[in-house]
Amino acid sequence: MVTTAVEWVFLKFHPSRFTNPNRPLTSRCSNRLGFRRFSSSASLSVAAAASSSTVSEVDPKREPVSLGHATRPDFPILHQEVNGSKLIYLDNAATSQKPTSVLKALQNYYATYNSNVHRGIHYLSAKATNEYELARKKVATFINASDSSEIVFTRNATEAINLVAYSWGLSNLNAEDEIIVTIAEHHSAIVPWQIVAQKTGAILKFVNLTPDEVPDTAQLKEMLSRKTKLVVIHHVSNMLGSVGAKVLVDACQSVPHMVVDVQNLNADFLVASSHKMCGPTGVGFLYGKSELLSAMPPFLGGGEMISDVYLDHSTYAEPPSRFEAGTPAIAGAIGLGAAIDYLSEIGMQRIHDYEVSAVSQYLSLFLDQILLSDFLLKLVCKGFMIMRLVQCPNIFLCFWIKSFFLTFFLVCRMSISSSVKLFKMSF
C-alpha cells in the first residue's frame, strides 16, 4: 500500500484520546495524572518517572480508554502544564518523546555498567557488549531481518543512507546508470545520491506525485529499465526485483507506526532513526542483505572495523563491524533496544490500528467545523443581501435583524470552538 507511511506521519502513537459521548464530561477533563503547572517563561524540567512498569496498567474495572490515554503516563515530559493547559505533543514526525523505560535504560547503563564494547574482558565491558549486541538482535527481530549481522548501527538514518551511497554506490554505479528517486523523499534521501551521481556520472531521475500527493507508481514502472541500478523510496512494497534494481527503503516514518517486515518487502536496504520511535537521539540503523553488506567496502576507517593492520594495508572485519568504526553510540543503541521493547509490548499492529482510527476522527471533526463555518458565513451574507434588497424602512427593525444574524453566527462559532476545545482536552 503506497500511502501507509506518508499519510500518518504527524500522529505517531502520540498521547491522544478522543471524546467518548458515553463518558461524563467531568471524567474527560479530570486532572488525574497530577500535572505540574508552568508559565511560558518558566523553564520546563522533566517530571519524575510516571510509572514503574514498561507500559501503564489500566484498571480492567474502569471504562476502557484509548491507547493514547492509557500510555500517556509513561512519558514524563507530558506531566506538566504549559500556559495553563496540559502539554499535548504532536510533532512526532520530527522526534518522538521518550517513555520512562527508555530513560531508565540510559540511566542504568551510565550508572551501573558504563564501558566500551568489544574491547575488554572485564565485567563492565562484557556486560556493555552483551547489552549492545542484544539491542542489535532486538532491531533484527523488530523488522524481521534474517540475522542480526544484517543490522548496522549508525548515527541516524541520514548516515545510514550516506553509508550505502558511498560504500555501495561509489563501488557499483557507473556512467549512464540510473538512480530513481521520488520527489517526496526527504533531503537526506536525495542529496547523497546527487553527490554520488556527480562522482560516477550516473543519472538521477525523479518520480512525480499523483493528485493524491503519493508517488506515481505508474510513472515509476515506466522509468524502470535495464539501466536502473537503484530505487530510493519511502516505505512501499518492493515490486522491482525483475529489473535487477536494488531498492533502498526510507522507513523512518513507517517503522514507528506499523509492522515492518524486511523479508516480506524484499528490500535490499532499509534505514530508520531511533529518535522517531521513542528511542534516544544520536543512533539509527541500516538493514542490508548479507550478501550486499559482505561485498561493500568500509564507509569509515578506524578501530573496530579492522581485522588486521599492517603498515602498507589493512584487512577488514566482517559486517556489521566493518561499518561501525570507532566507539559507537552504546547508550543510544541500548536505549533503542528499550524503545523496541516498549513498542513491542504494546503491539505495532495495535498502534497502527489506533492511529488510523485517530486520524479519521481528527480529520472528520475539523472537516465538519470548516463546512459548518462556511455554511454560517454564507447564511449571514445572504441575510444582509436580502435586507439590502428589501430596504427595510424601520431602522430599528433593520438593526435587530442584523444583530440576530450576527449573534446566531457567533453563538454557532462558539459552540464549534467549545467542541474543539473538548476534543483537545480529551488528549
Side-chain angles (χ1 to χ4, degrees):
M1 183 176 179
V2 175
T3 60
T4 358
V6 182
E7 292 179 343
W8 316 123
V9 298
F10 72 98
L11 268 181
K12 195 178 181 298
F13 100 116
H14 62 79
S16 61
R17 176 170 72 93
F18 293 88
T19 304
N20 182 346
N22 299 319
R23 183 187 295 274
L25 179 61
T26 52
S27 68
R28 290 187 198 137
C29 307
S30 63
N31 193 19
R32 67 180 184 86
L33 298 178
F35 296 99
R36 298 183 297 168
R37 191 178 300 276
F38 292 84
S39 66
S40 58
S41 60
S43 60
L44 302 180
S45 59
V46 177
S51 171
S52 58
S53 61
T54 305
V55 179
S56 294
E57 298 291 335
V58 179
D59 187 349
K61 296 181 180 179
R62 292 186 177 182
E63 184 180 347
V65 296
S66 74
L67 179 60
H69 191 66
T71 55
R72 183 182 178 95
D74 299 336
F75 294 82
I77 199 170
L78 301 179
H79 302 170
Q80 57 183 290
E81 289 187 357
V82 179
N83 296 328
S85 299
K86 288 191 297 184
L87 176 60
I88 298 172
Y89 183 83
L90 298 177
D91 200 18
N92 292 286
T95 196
S96 60
Q97 299 302 339
K98 321 307 174 193
T100 301
S101 57
V102 171
L103 301 178
K104 285 185 175 180
L106 294 173
Q107 182 182 20
N108 188 40
Y109 165 73
Y110 284 118
T112 64
Y113 60 98
N114 175 48
S115 185
N116 216 323
V117 295
H118 304 136
R119 302 189 185 191
I121 59 173
H122 58 86
Y123 170 79
L124 295 181
S125 180
K127 182 170 178 58
T129 299
N130 289 339
E131 293 297 323
Y132 180 76
E133 291 303 328
L134 178 60
R136 193 191 309 275
K137 291 178 181 178
K138 290 178 181 179
V139 174
T141 301
F142 193 64
I143 63 171
N144 196 33
S146 59
D147 192 84
S148 62
S149 64
E150 295 180 321
I151 304 300
V152 178
F153 284 128
T154 60
R155 189 165 53 90
N156 46 39
T158 298
E159 184 176 82
I161 294 172
N162 276 271
L163 191 162
V164 177
Y166 284 88
S167 181
W168 181 88
L170 292 180
S171 302
N172 291 276
L173 295 175
N174 300 301
E176 305 303 319
D177 285 342
E178 295 177 355
I179 308 165
I180 297 179
V181 183
T182 80
I183 64 172
E185 302 308 311
H186 191 276
H187 293 163
S188 62
I190 296 177
V191 176
W193 300 109
Q194 290 176 334
I195 296 173
V196 167
Q198 292 170 359
K199 291 179 178 292
T200 61
I203 299 171
L204 203 57
K205 291 189 171 183
F206 290 92
V207 176
N208 293 316
L209 302 182
T210 67
D212 295 327
E213 299 295 319
V214 295
D216 190 335
T217 54
Q219 184 187 20
L220 172 59
K221 290 178 180 178
E222 290 176 1
M223 283 185 175
L224 293 171
S225 70
R226 293 297 174 183
K227 291 184 178 181
T228 306
K229 293 298 184 286
L230 180 72
V231 177
V232 181
I233 196 165
H234 52 266
H235 188 177
V236 296
S237 296
N238 178 10
M239 304 282 293
L240 309 171
S242 61
V243 297
K246 299 294 184 287
V247 179
L248 187 154
V249 177
D250 180 353
C252 286
Q253 300 294 355
S254 61
V255 166
H257 301 272
M258 58 187 290
V259 176
V260 174
D261 186 331
V262 292
Q263 294 190 61
N264 185 51
L265 284 173
N266 194 28
D268 298 291
F269 302 103
L270 181 141
V271 304
S273 283
S274 163
H275 72 96
K276 294 185 179 181
M277 49 190 295
C278 298
T281 57
V283 65
F285 66 86
L286 164 69
Y287 158 81
K289 288 183 176 177
S290 295
E291 61 271 22
L292 294 176
L293 293 178
S294 297
M296 288 163 52
F299 173 46
L300 298 173
E304 293 302 307
M305 48 74 63
I306 43 85
S307 177
D308 295 296
V309 177
Y310 303 92
L311 294 180
D312 58 347
H313 73 282
S314 296
T315 57
Y316 307 122
E318 290 298 313
S321 298
R322 182 185 302 173
F323 305 105
E324 295 181 5
T327 298
I330 304 168
I334 293 170
L336 171 58
I340 287 174
D341 288 341
Y342 180 80
L343 294 175
S344 298
E345 187 170 340
I346 298 171
M348 294 310 299
Q349 188 59 51
R350 183 183 177 196
I351 290 172
H352 178 65
D353 293 343
Y354 169 70
E355 289 179 353
V356 172
S357 173
V359 173
S360 298
Q361 294 183 59
Y362 183 91
L363 295 179
S364 176
L365 175 68
F366 285 95
L367 180 60
D368 289 345
Q369 181 197 17
I370 292 170
L371 293 175
L372 183 55
S373 297
D374 182 62
F375 168 76
L376 293 174
L377 184 59
K378 288 179 179 177
L379 182 63
V380 171
C381 291
K382 286 186 177 181
F384 287 156
M385 289 176 63
I386 292 172
M387 289 171 60
R388 283 189 175 183
L389 292 173
V390 172
Q391 294 184 351
C392 179
N394 189 322
I395 187 170
F396 293 104
L397 179 61
C398 182
F399 171 78
W400 284 111
I401 293 175
K402 285 184 178 181
S403 299
F404 169 78
F405 277 116
L406 287 173
T407 302
F408 176 72
F409 176 71
L410 292 174
V411 167
C412 291
R413 285 290 295 172
M414 289 174 64
S415 176
I416 295 170
S417 298
S418 297
S419 298
V420 174
K421 186 175 181 181
L422 284 175
F423 172 79
K424 289 182 177 179
M425 291 175 69
S426 70
F427 278 77

